[in-house]
């Protein structure tokens, strides 16, 4: 849409929305220099958390009508420190089904993340990890469709466009991953990351997607999972870096994002912008099988921001996040390049991965730091009792 069509928009509403956006960006902690957003020091993780705080608060408020009435029951899955016995921990993977109690718990826990958690895209597998020794939740992770273009990932694999179109179906993205307290205080985030690469997850993926038809191409899906990708939440990651299994790196750092996205508008303002875009902008990046509409939030923002006198460059928030790949087979890259039809998957069972984690991280951490014992599940409550 040409900029001269801005006159068709109510000028007062346009000025008010532009002012609200600029005020919100400053309140989040951004500096605005010309058309560019400047975030805090990338090594200041607390500063980066503060950038996301407003969007997180908005998501919690939005979820309140549907989740608050379940909070007491859901808090029953969060352990008190006194209920956790490190030497007795026994993790169990549970695949989340739509409409289940597990899905409610998954949604509730995701509201506690430092950054807003996406619901995932396209194909999706979500897992909860419980401690069978006490029935409490250790953590969770979710797999969703990866983006088509991710430079550092594509360079690591070494594939071309045609190979990517054929084999991207064998890649999934970890859109959320982590442990809940008090297990997080025992480094169980590393356990959750290891379990995401387990044979059981690959089997669940194959069972759900093998033979299913791709929405776009119509081709039957292979069902083999060769690679996981993930992007750290707060700049450089201490969770994935140096995470090993029997001395071999499980996650490999391959680079950083460019620092673009839409979280800086995810505090209620995005809905105002979306309504404006639907009324005044033409969605150009669409596919007949996807239906009508904008391809993603970034496309919408780049089209609508100029209509209210703001630069489309404001989609670049400048918060670079570390990109990791986790090969699930010894020949993962060659398979994804189409050089091998056979995928030589690692045979890492959940039990084996936990046994490694227990000796390498869990028991040493518990021996030197017993702060986890003081955790009170009431501190995990999102909404006050009323």
């Amino acid at each position: 849409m040409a900029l001269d069509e801005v006159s068709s928009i109510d000028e007062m509403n346009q000025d008010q929305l532009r002012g609200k956006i600029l005020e919100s960006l400053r309140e989040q902690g951004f500096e605005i220099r010309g058309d560019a957003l400047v975030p805090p020091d990338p090594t200041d993780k607390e500063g980066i958390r503060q950038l996301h705080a407003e969007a997180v608060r908005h998501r919690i408020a939005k979820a309140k009508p549907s989740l608050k009435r379940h909070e007491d029951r859901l808090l029953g899955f969060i352990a008190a420190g006194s209920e956790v016995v490190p030497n007795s921990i026994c993790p169990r993977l549970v695949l989340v089904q739509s409409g289940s109690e597990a899905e409610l718990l998954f949604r509730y826990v995701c509201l506690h993340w430092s950054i807003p958690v996406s619901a995932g895209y396209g194909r999706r597998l979500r897992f909860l990890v419980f401690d069978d020794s006490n029935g409490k939740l250790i953590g969770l992770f979710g797999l969703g469709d990866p983006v088509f273009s991710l430079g550092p990932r594509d360079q690591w694999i070494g594939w071309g466009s045609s190979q990517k179109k054929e084999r991207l179906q064998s890649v999934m993205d970890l859109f959320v991953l982590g442990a809940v307290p008090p297990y997080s205080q025992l480094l169980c985030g590393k356990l959750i990351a290891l379990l995401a690469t387990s044979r059981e997850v690959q089997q669940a993926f194959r069972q759900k997607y093998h033979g299913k038809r791709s929405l776009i191409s119509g081709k039957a899906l292979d069902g083999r999972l060769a690679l996981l990708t993930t992007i750290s939440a707060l700049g450089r990651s201490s969770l994935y870096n140096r995470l090993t299994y029997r001395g071999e790196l499980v996650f490999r750092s391959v680079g950083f994002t460019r620092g673009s996205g839409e979280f800086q508008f995810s505090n209620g303002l995005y809905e105002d912008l979306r309504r404006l875009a639907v009324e005044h902008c033409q969605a150009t990046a669409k596919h007949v099988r996807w239906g009508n509409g904008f391809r993603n939030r970034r496309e919408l923002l780049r089209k609508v921001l100029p209509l209210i006198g703001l630069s489309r460059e404001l989609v670049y928030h400048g918060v670079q996040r570390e990109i990791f790949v986790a090969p699930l087979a010894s020949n993962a890259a060659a398979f994804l390049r189409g050089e091998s039809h056979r995928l030589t998957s690692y045979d890492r069972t959940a039990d084996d991965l936990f046994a490694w984690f227990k000796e390498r991280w869990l028991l040493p951490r518990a021996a030197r730091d017993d702060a986890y014992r003081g955790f009170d599940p009431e501190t995990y409550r999102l909404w006050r009792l009323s």
Side-chain angles (χ1 to χ4, degrees), residues 143-158:
L143 301 174
D145 267 333
V147 296
F148 186 78
S149 296
L150 186 63
R153 175 204 67 194
D154 296 341
Q155 291 167 19
W156 181 84
I157 295 170

Side-chain angles (χ1 to χ4, degrees), residues 343-360:
L343 185 64
T344 310
S345 299
Y346 296 128
D347 190 21
R348 300 170 176 167
T349 68
D351 286 345
D352 289 342
L353 290 163
F354 174 63
W356 169 261
F357 165 78
K358 183 176 181 179
E359 297 302 320
R360 174 67 179 82

Side-chain angles (χ1 to χ4, degrees), residues 136-321:
K136 304 299 184 178
L137 184 68
I138 299 175
L140 57 77
F141 62 94
L143 301 174
D145 267 333
V147 296
F148 186 78
S149 296
L150 186 63
R153 175 204 67 194
D154 296 341
Q155 291 167 19
W156 181 84
I157 295 170
W159 56 9
S161 180
S162 61
Q163 298 159 337
K164 183 161 48 171
K165 287 177 182 177
E166 180 70 23
R167 296 286 173 103
L168 187 64
Q169 61 171 283
S170 294
V171 179
M172 290 289 273
D173 184 63
L174 284 160
F175 64 86
V176 63
L177 182 151
V180 301
Y183 293 94
S184 55
Q185 296 167 271
L186 289 167
L187 303 180
C188 284
K190 293 181 182 293
L191 169 62
I192 304 300
L194 289 171
L195 292 177
T197 71
S198 67
R199 182 175 69 189
E200 287 84 349
V201 170
Q202 294 171 62
Q203 289 171 339
F205 179 81
R206 183 175 181 83
Q207 183 175 359
K208 183 170 183 178
Y209 291 112
H210 176 65
K212 294 288 180 66
R213 295 283 172 180
S214 166
L215 180 64
I216 303 303
S217 69
K219 294 181 180 178
L221 296 173
D222 183 281
R224 287 180 288 179
L225 188 55
L227 186 75
L228 299 182
T229 62
T230 193
I231 300 177
S232 65
L234 303 169
R236 289 191 177 275
S237 171
S238 57
L239 191 161
Y240 302 110
N241 273 312
R242 299 182 298 282
L243 181 59
T244 63
Y245 176 64
R246 295 181 177 173
E248 184 175 351
L249 277 177
V250 177
F251 287 82
R252 308 176 189 187
S253 176
V254 294
F256 288 82
T257 63
R258 292 180 61 194
S260 64
E262 70 288 328
F263 78 80
Q264 62 274 35
F265 303 102
S266 299
N267 53 3
L269 295 175
Y270 179 80
E271 287 304 311
D272 293 333
L273 291 167
R274 186 191 64 79
R275 286 191 289 269
L276 191 63
V278 168
E279 184 177 350
H280 295 281
C281 299
Q282 180 68 37
T284 55
K286 54 188 176 182
H287 190 287
V288 66
R289 291 183 181 270
W290 294 339
N292 296 322
F294 295 91
R295 180 177 61 181
N296 53 40
R297 289 186 166 210
R298 193 172 311 173
E299 183 210 1
L300 184 151
L301 289 169
R302 289 180 66 85
K303 286 179 173 292
V304 76
L305 286 172
L307 297 187
I308 57 172
L310 293 174
S311 171
R312 57 172 50 94
E313 297 304 303
L314 292 182
V315 300
Y316 291 97
H317 49 64
V319 181
Q320 292 187 309
R321 299 163 64 193

Side-chain angles (χ1 to χ4, degrees), residues 21 23 28 80 143 233 385:
I21 288 172
E23 181 182 4
Q28 289 175 63
L143 301 174
L385 293 168

Side-chain angles (χ1 to χ4, degrees), residues 57-118:
R57 285 193 292 269
H58 176 72
R59 292 214 174 187
I60 292 172
K62 191 174 180 181
K64 183 177 179 179
S66 62
L67 284 178
K68 182 183 177 182
R69 65 182 182 272
H70 303 291
E71 186 169 33
D72 284 346
R73 188 174 76 256
L74 297 175
L75 277 176
F77 292 104
I78 304 301
S82 60
E83 296 176 293
V84 177
V85 180
N87 206 41
S88 298
I89 290 174
C90 181
R92 174 172 54 92
L93 281 164
V94 173
L95 181 62
V96 174
Q97 304 292 342
S98 294
S100 66
E101 179 89 341
E103 184 179 49
L104 277 180
L105 182 57
F106 192 98
R107 288 174 53 205
Y108 177 70
V109 171
C110 284
L111 293 174
H112 293 77
W113 253 241
S114 296
I115 67 174
V117 175
S118 162

